[in-house]
Amino acid sequence: MSQSKQVFEVTREAARDLSDYQYHAMKIDTSNQIDYVDTSSAGAGIGILQNKPEAEGQEAEVRVLGTSLMYVDGNSINIGVEDMLGSNSNYHGVKVDADKDQYFAIALEASSADGDLIEVLLLGGPHYISAT
């Protein structure tokens, strides 16, 4: 039995050549363009790039809600199913769990290596861990 998946994507111009960043973390920059994002450096992750725009100004499609593939780094801190994910300086998904860490996805598969491509659930924009 086939299952339909509901997804939501936004399309904007690419801020640069993003052809090497398909399935990496993205943001909308101050010029209203799509660019890669490191959420550990206070960038607001909105989703994951689905296509490969080869130059500034080309159409960039970012999935913001639903499921997507994402390159992750589970090397230093292993990623488990249901872990909250932000992004690092390589724009790969990384496990976050400290107070005020930003996340925008949840892992649907585990990873213990850098460069793994796993399925994630996108949450429709940035969320923040809060200590209770």
Side-chain angles (χ1 to χ4, degrees):
M1 176 178 182
S2 156
Q3 199 174 19
S4 68
K5 293 183 180 184
Q6 300 241 342
V7 298
F8 182 71
E9 294 179 356
V10 296
T11 303
R12 299 276 190 284
E13 291 183 356
R16 65 185 82 234
D17 176 354
L18 296 173
S19 59
D20 290 334
Y21 296 96
Q22 183 181 35
Y23 304 129
H24 287 73
M26 295 290 136
K27 67 178 179 182
I28 297 177
D29 69 13
T30 57
S31 298
N32 202 29
Q33 295 179 313
I34 300 297
D35 205 0
Y36 38 67
V37 64
D38 176 357
T39 62
S40 67
S41 293
I46 63 157
I48 299 171
L49 185 65
Q50 298 299 298
N51 64 342
K52 297 180 177 186
E54 295 179 348
E56 178 181 355
Q58 287 190 343
E59 187 174 273
E61 299 169 3
V62 177
R63 183 150 313 151
V64 297
L65 190 62
T67 60
S68 177
L69 295 176
M70 182 181 199
Y71 284 104
V72 296
D73 183 353
N75 186 35
S76 60
I77 300 176
N78 291 351
I79 295 171
V81 174
E82 297 184 357
D83 281 345
M84 295 171 283
L85 303 176
S87 62
N88 64 12
S89 60
N90 291 326
Y91 323 112
H92 289 185
V94 291
K95 178 179 177 177
V96 296
D97 59 10
D99 185 34
K100 299 185 179 154
D101 277 352
Q102 182 192 144
Y103 64 99
F104 61 93
I106 296 175
L108 297 177
E109 298 178 280
S111 170
S112 59
D114 188 17
D116 280 350
L117 189 61
I118 68 168
E119 186 177 20
V120 301
L121 175 65
L122 294 162
L123 303 172
H127 298 267
Y128 297 87
I129 297 173
S130 114
T132 54

